[in-house]
Amino acid sequence: MAKRELDKNFNRTLIEVGSELTMRNITDLINRARFASAQAEGIMGSDNKAAALFDELQIGGLLSMTDVDWLIEDLDFLKLRNVRNILELYKLRNQLLVEKVIEERETEEIPQPAPPGANLSVVKQPISAVTPGKVTAVIQTPPEPIPATPGKVNDRKHKIFISFSFKDEEKASEIRDRIEKRLGAGSCWICTTELKGGDNMDKGIAVAIDKATVLVSLVSQNYTNSPGCEREVELARQQRTKFLPVLLERVEFPLTKFDGGASPMRMAFAQLIYVPLYRDEEGGGSEEFEAIIEALKEMLSPVDPIH
C-alpha cells in the first residue's frame, strides 16, 4: 500500500511538472551542468522530455530527495516558481507518507492468545507474526466508529484555511472568530493558533491546505506583496482547492505589487468574484460578511452539509 501511494505521488508530480515545463525550461535545466553529455542527449532526444528528465533522477522508482533539492535550487535560479512549488509539495507528501508507514508499524499490535474461557474469534495475523500451520485465537474488540453528524465540528474541522499577511494578523484573527461563531468552532485553520513553537511552518501550512476545502484569501496590498501568501495560493491552486477572495481594503486591479509588477496571484483569482469586506467597516453594516458566510456554506455543502 505504501509503495503504491509513493508511486502515485511520483506519477502525479510528473504530470504536474510536465504541464509546466517548456522545452526551453528543460534545456536551461540541462545547461546547469548537472547531467553528463550522454544523459543530456537522451533527455533532449525524447518525445516526453519532462518524463525523461525525471527518469534520470529516479532511484527505485522514486525521485531522489537529494536530486529534488538541487533541482529546486536550479528552478529558483531560473525563476520557475510554479515548478519549484510542485516539487516542494512532492517532498512534503513523500515525508508524510513515510511518517505514516512508520507510525503504522509502531502501532501495529501482534495478537495475543486469549485467556481460558474467553469468547474467541479467529483473526488474520500480520505476516511477520504468523507461525506456519498455526492459527491463533484472540479476543477481537473492534473500535466503535464515531458517526459524523452533519453540521457538527467533526464534519468540517479545519475545512477553511485562512490565508493572510502577518501585517493583517489582527483583522485575520477577528474574521476567523466571526466565521467560527457562525460555522462552528474549529472550522477554520489559521497558522497563528494552529502552529506552535518549534513546528515546521512550511510543512504545517502545506498539510493544512491539502486537507482544506476552501482557502479564504484576505486580500490587501500587504497580501499581494507577501511571498508566503503567493506560495499558499499556488499550493491551493495545485490542490484544486476552492478560493474565496475577501478584500480587506481597496486594492488595484489586476493585482499588482508595490513596485508595480504583476502579482502571480492574479491568475488564480482571475475569474472569481471578490467579497469587499471593507465596505462593512465603511458603512457600519454586515452585508458583506453575510455574503462570506453564504459563500462558505455553498462551497462546503457538497462534502460538508451545514444547516
Side-chain angles (χ1 to χ4, degrees):
M1 179 63 73
K3 179 64 165 58
R4 190 182 306 129
E5 289 299 316
L6 289 167
D7 287 342
K8 182 179 177 182
N9 186 28
F10 173 80
N11 291 329
R12 171 182 176 179
T13 303
L14 175 59
I15 292 171
E16 291 175 349
V17 170
S19 67
E20 294 283 350
L21 284 178
T22 64
M23 185 180 295
R24 174 62 184 274
N25 297 152
I26 294 174
T27 301
D28 289 342
L29 285 169
I30 291 173
N31 288 339
R32 292 279 289 163
R34 301 281 189 172
F35 295 99
S37 58
Q39 291 176 303
E41 290 174 5
I43 294 171
M44 295 309 297
S46 171
D47 292 333
N48 188 336
K49 293 176 177 54
L53 176 68
F54 270 38
D55 284 342
E56 294 293 343
L57 302 176
Q58 282 181 259
I59 292 180
L62 302 174
L63 281 179
S64 158
M65 288 300 105
T66 300
D67 286 337
V68 170
D69 286 338
W70 70 245
L71 188 54
I72 286 173
E73 290 178 9
D74 289 348
L75 291 167
D76 271 338
F77 179 82
L78 297 171
K79 301 189 185 323
L80 298 175
R81 181 173 296 166
N82 286 356
V83 186
R84 179 194 190 282
N85 288 340
I86 290 171
L87 290 178
E88 287 281 14
L89 195 56
Y90 170 81
K91 285 180 59 179
L92 287 168
R93 286 195 299 253
N94 251 33
Q95 183 179 352
L96 292 172
L97 286 170
V98 171
E99 290 176 356
K100 182 179 179 182
V101 171
I102 293 173
E103 182 179 349
E104 287 175 351
R105 288 177 178 174
E106 289 178 346
T107 57
E108 186 180 65
E109 293 184 359
I110 299 176
Q112 299 296 320
N119 292 325
L120 304 180
S121 60
V122 176
V123 300
K124 186 178 179 181
Q125 291 182 316
I127 293 176
S128 60
V130 171
T131 301
K134 181 180 179 182
V135 176
T136 303
V138 302
I139 299 176
Q140 193 175 22
T141 310
E144 295 184 4
I146 301 175
T149 306
K152 299 300 182 183
V153 172
N154 67 325
D155 284 303
R156 58 178 181 272
K157 183 175 178 62
H158 294 167
K159 293 293 186 181
I160 304 166
F161 182 97
I162 306 292
S163 176
F164 67 99
S165 164
F166 279 108
K167 294 181 180 179
D168 300 320
E169 181 179 344
E170 186 175 345
K171 285 185 178 179
S173 295
E174 177 189 340
I175 291 169
R176 185 276 315 273
D177 291 343
R178 292 177 70 186
I179 291 174
E180 291 199 339
K181 282 181 181 178
R182 297 290 297 277
L183 302 185
S187 55
C188 296
W189 192 98
I190 189 169
C191 65
T192 49
T193 57
E194 299 301 331
L195 295 179
K196 311 300 181 187
D199 286 347
N200 183 314
M201 178 172 286
D202 287 344
K203 177 182 175 182
I205 287 174
V207 171
I209 290 175
D210 188 55
K211 294 180 179 179
T213 301
V214 183
L215 183 138
V216 175
S217 293
L218 301 183
V219 182
S220 65
Q221 198 62 60
N222 293 325
Y223 190 83
T224 58
N225 282 275
S226 167
C229 295
E230 288 179 10
R231 175 167 164 74
E232 290 170 5
V233 169
E234 177 58 24
L235 287 174
R237 187 187 69 81
Q238 292 174 19
Q239 296 294 97
R240 295 180 173 80
T241 305
K242 298 174 185 177
F243 287 103
L244 178 59
V246 174
L247 297 182
L248 298 183
E249 61 188 23
R250 297 177 187 272
V251 296
E252 294 287 335
F253 288 98
L255 294 178
T256 55
K257 298 189 174 187
F258 286 132
D259 61 7
S263 167
M265 291 184 275
R266 65 168 64 183
M267 295 304 296
F269 300 152
Q271 304 298 320
L272 301 178
I273 302 298
Y274 293 73
V275 180
L277 185 62
Y278 64 84
R279 289 181 183 173
D280 282 353
E281 295 183 2
E282 293 177 353
S286 60
E287 292 182 6
E288 303 302 340
F289 180 73
E290 290 302 319
I292 293 173
I293 296 301
E294 291 306 311
L296 288 173
K297 286 182 178 180
E298 183 176 348
M299 290 175 166
L300 293 172
S301 59
V303 294
D304 224 280
I306 299 174
H307 304 290

